[in-house]
Amino acid sequence: MTAAPPVAGAPKRADAQAADRTACAGKDPDASIAACSRLLDGVANAPVSERAIWFNNRGVALNQKGHHDLAIRDFDEAIRLGHRGAYANRGFAHRRKGDLDQAARDYGEAIRLDPSRPQGYNNLGVVYRLRGELDRAIREYDEAIRRDPKYTSAYNNRGFALVMKGETDRAMRDFDQAITLDPAYSNAYRHRADVLARRGDIRGAMRDYDSAIRLDPKYAAAYRGRGELLARIGDVDRALADLDEAIRFDPADPGAYTARGQVLEQKNESARALSDYRIAVTLPESSEAKAARDKARDRIAALAAAPPVAAPAAVTSAAAPATAAIAPSAAPQKSIAAPAFARRVALIVGNSAYVHAPPLANPENDAGDVAAALRRIGFDVVEGRNLDRRGMDDAVRSFGRKLDGADLAVFFYAGHGLQVAGKNYLVPVDAKLERPGDLALDAVDVSLVLAQMEADKRVNLVFLDACRDNPLSRSLARSLGTRSASVGTGLASIQSALGTMIAYATQPDNVALDGEGRNSPFTTALLKHIGTPGVDIGTIMRRVRAEVVTATREKQVPWDHSSLIGDVVMVP
């Protein structure tokens, strides 16, 4: 009997799967997400226990990237397949999402399954602290330390809870012990610095903040603490630099915006300070951010009650709040035709962490930065990053409710998009697009968003940075067979209704670039110009186009289709 010939490509596939198994369990979250996804999609005969590990590992990576709902979905599947460790990981995802009750249940189940592990008690202590139940939290930390007397995180967390109770001497002993056990533990340095700063030990506090930042150069809370301390001693320029860094690394921290607003007031930049305070009060609620939000509200009221400062004679229009970071220094141009937009709303979506396609570097940054820029100039923003199909539907629905009574509406999307049969679709992070029927189920038709925006008479501005090279469109084209020609490159041109402008990152039927920095080339230019006082949106788009053409060496030409009547000035 003749032996069957070897299957061509089998060794290569085995090598690729071995590499994916290693990457799936690795520390690089993007590589882990991609590798685990390939294994889950491509290894149909894997043992149940192995698939449970892949779901769990991908959930951990997704949670690291801030995609908590997607992570929870993976942990659910890992638990269904018998992975006990996924309870603690799911608890962490629920905690990061703000669902403390579910987090407590998951941590409790992790303790029940393995009561010997100190991590479960430490995790449960964090939940109780976040609830404000400090005595219960301290008891859980005590138990974690009893089971492992060298557990540095439990000492640090117990110290933080003791600070909140006002027992700073006991807290300092815990922070000292954590640092003794682990001299590279940045959290303990930062918490000890906070106590030293309260006690007036400026030199000691500064030394500990410096250590925390040296050990973790992206430690937002340490930059914030050091910035607040520098402001107290009058070094406002260095304070402002530190608070800028704090916001760059954690743009959702109300405390950093409030602290920066106070520094800006010291520099007599009340307009920018007011913008920071307004951002602070719109950020998500938390017990630890309450004091910062309350302070921001107090300062908003105080600045609103203050008499206006007369502008220099040469200035003919007021500068927009806090546009210095995003607006060019050119003198504002007064527009006599600019309508007053009393109520402004925006929907901002950026999708980077694709589960069934390689992740994109920029879109979640693009969305976060555009949302912040629009908030600075008075927009009520619905913001979503790395949304699955349900999340995108919810965001569009929430935006639709805010459109009632709005004078100006903006929709910005960054991420994968595609055109099929002349219609444009935006791609959620969980889309597969393996079959023709998946298109309606997995993707969002742009025309549905436009229909909501154009239902009433208002000015609508749409920015689509969604023309990136898209492997999902190629897989969909393959599934369509002879109809694959209906899947076009980039996005198709849309005919807008009266009062609407639609701007594309590049010309129709072309592919835009991701860029090598924090933002895409299109969004980089848009952020620079969108807050320019007194300039019509048509002029802004011409400036954006010129900068993108130069930055991409004429490989990308932004395009827009407009039926606007008269000037539309974002910042009068």
Side-chain angles (χ1 to χ4, degrees), residues 151-307:
Y151 191 10
T152 55
S153 181
Y155 284 106
N156 177 67
N157 288 335
R158 187 173 69 180
F160 189 29
L162 288 166
V163 169
M164 295 176 72
K165 286 193 69 178
E167 299 182 33
T168 55
D169 289 337
R170 287 181 62 197
M172 288 295 283
R173 288 195 292 272
D174 272 350
F175 298 142
D176 290 343
Q177 180 66 10
I179 290 168
T180 299
L181 290 168
D182 182 1
Y185 192 15
S186 59
N187 281 4
Y189 285 102
R190 172 246 164 161
H191 285 139
R192 191 171 71 176
D194 289 345
V195 176
L196 291 171
R198 291 186 191 183
R199 292 178 169 181
D201 184 352
I202 304 300
R203 182 175 296 177
M206 199 66 73
R207 184 174 57 246
D208 273 357
Y209 284 131
D210 290 346
S211 295
I213 291 168
R214 175 179 55 80
L215 292 165
D216 182 358
K218 296 182 179 181
Y219 195 174
Y223 282 108
R224 187 187 78 196
R226 191 173 70 177
E228 290 173 332
L229 186 58
L230 287 165
R232 275 173 53 189
I233 63 177
D235 194 343
V236 293
D237 290 328
R238 285 179 64 202
L240 194 58
D242 267 357
L243 293 167
D244 286 344
E245 287 295 276
I247 290 168
R248 182 163 74 94
F249 292 124
D250 185 3
D253 177 16
Y257 287 100
T258 298
R260 190 172 69 175
Q262 292 177 279
V263 174
L264 289 167
E265 284 197 75
Q266 292 183 52
K267 291 172 67 68
N268 295 317
E269 297 186 37
S270 57
R272 291 183 64 200
L274 184 60
S275 175
D276 272 357
Y277 295 140
R278 285 173 172 160
I279 293 172
V281 300
T282 64
L283 290 171
E285 293 276 5
S286 75
S287 58
E288 293 171 1
K290 185 178 185 303
R293 291 165 60 91
D294 289 346
K295 181 66 176 179
R297 290 190 185 95
D298 291 344
R299 296 311 304 153
I300 290 170
L303 291 172

Side-chain angles (χ1 to χ4, degrees), residues 355-420:
V355 175
H356 303 289
L360 296 172
N362 304 117
E364 60 184 301
N365 296 334
D366 295 340
D369 293 347
V370 170
L374 292 182
R375 287 189 181 104
R376 291 187 184 109
I377 57 176
F379 277 81
D380 181 1
V381 177
V382 176
E383 180 182 356
R385 285 181 259 179
N386 297 310
L387 300 180
D388 58 12
R389 175 58 197 263
R390 179 180 296 178
M392 288 190 71
D393 287 345
D394 289 345
V396 172
R397 191 175 294 110
S398 178
F399 180 51
R401 288 192 291 268
K402 289 182 180 291
L403 284 170
D404 293 340
D407 304 297
L408 173 61
V410 168
F411 174 42
F412 173 91
Y413 174 82
H416 278 316
L418 71 159
Q419 61 161 303
V420 179

Side-chain angles (χ1 to χ4, degrees), residues 513 515-516 519-525 543-558:
L513 304 175
E516 298 178 355
N519 302 112
S520 74
F522 177 75
T523 299
T524 297
R543 294 177 181 178
V544 168
R545 185 178 300 118
E547 292 202 5
V548 173
V549 167
T550 300
T552 63
R553 298 181 181 180
E554 301 184 9
K555 293 179 181 177
Q556 182 174 331
V557 182

Side-chain angles (χ1 to χ4, degrees), residues 39-204:
L39 290 168
L40 289 165
D41 290 342
V43 188
N45 60 346
V48 168
S49 59
E50 199 166 8
R51 290 183 63 80
I53 291 170
W54 298 338
F55 275 113
N56 179 72
N57 290 352
R58 188 172 71 177
V60 170
L62 287 166
N63 205 39
Q64 285 180 279
K65 297 285 289 181
H67 318 317
H68 309 311
D69 287 326
L70 292 173
I72 289 166
R73 188 181 303 174
D74 273 358
F75 293 137
D76 288 344
E77 190 62 18
I79 289 167
R80 189 185 70 80
L81 295 174
H83 195 300
R84 288 180 154 197
Y87 280 104
N89 292 330
R90 189 175 70 179
F92 184 51
H94 280 298
R95 191 182 96 200
R96 293 284 298 274
K97 191 182 171 188
D99 188 349
L100 298 182
D101 291 340
Q102 183 57 50
R105 287 191 288 272
D106 277 345
Y107 288 146
E109 182 63 13
I111 291 171
R112 188 189 68 79
L113 291 170
D114 188 355
S116 66
R117 289 174 59 85
Q119 291 87 346
Y121 303 98
N122 182 64
N123 291 336
L124 195 55
V126 172
V127 172
Y128 288 142
R129 174 178 59 78
L130 291 170
R131 284 177 171 179
E133 301 174 49
L134 299 178
D135 290 330
R136 292 184 72 181
I138 290 168
R139 285 197 296 272
E140 297 297 335
Y141 299 138
D142 290 344
E143 186 62 23
I145 291 168
R146 187 181 73 79
R147 292 176 182 276
D148 182 0
K150 295 184 178 181
Y151 191 10
T152 55
S153 181
Y155 284 106
N156 177 67
N157 288 335
R158 187 173 69 180
F160 189 29
L162 288 166
V163 169
M164 295 176 72
K165 286 193 69 178
E167 299 182 33
T168 55
D169 289 337
R170 287 181 62 197
M172 288 295 283
R173 288 195 292 272
D174 272 350
F175 298 142
D176 290 343
Q177 180 66 10
I179 290 168
T180 299
L181 290 168
D182 182 1
Y185 192 15
S186 59
N187 281 4
Y189 285 102
R190 172 246 164 161
H191 285 139
R192 191 171 71 176
D194 289 345
V195 176
L196 291 171
R198 291 186 191 183
R199 292 178 169 181
D201 184 352
I202 304 300
R203 182 175 296 177

